[in-house]
Amino acid sequence: MNFLGYLSFLMAIIFTVSFIICMAVQQIVTYHSIIEKAREFANNKYIRKN
């Protein structure tokens, strides 16, 4: 493989890794917001009971 082949292979790996990292961060943020909403809902529900 020539230099251009190595360069394009390296760029493909970099883009793939960054895409996977961005997806993981997005899932973590979404999960965190869902947990916060559930916590607020549970707190409001318990406050209304008492």
Side-chain angles (χ1 to χ4, degrees):
M1 244 171 33
N2 56 5
F3 178 71
L4 192 58
Y6 284 122
L7 189 62
S8 61
F9 182 69
L10 183 65
M11 290 298 287
I13 289 175
I14 289 172
F15 283 136
T16 304
V17 168
S18 63
F19 180 73
I20 290 171
I21 289 173
C22 287
M23 284 185 64
V25 168
Q26 181 184 10
Q27 290 296 321
I28 290 170
V29 168
T30 303
Y31 178 76
H32 181 71
S33 69
I34 289 172
I35 292 297
E36 285 299 317
K37 286 179 184 176
R39 205 173 279 155
E40 288 174 8
F41 176 75
N43 286 340
N44 289 339
K45 194 174 180 182
Y46 290 134
I47 288 171
R48 287 180 189 162
K49 278 185 178 178
N50 298 331

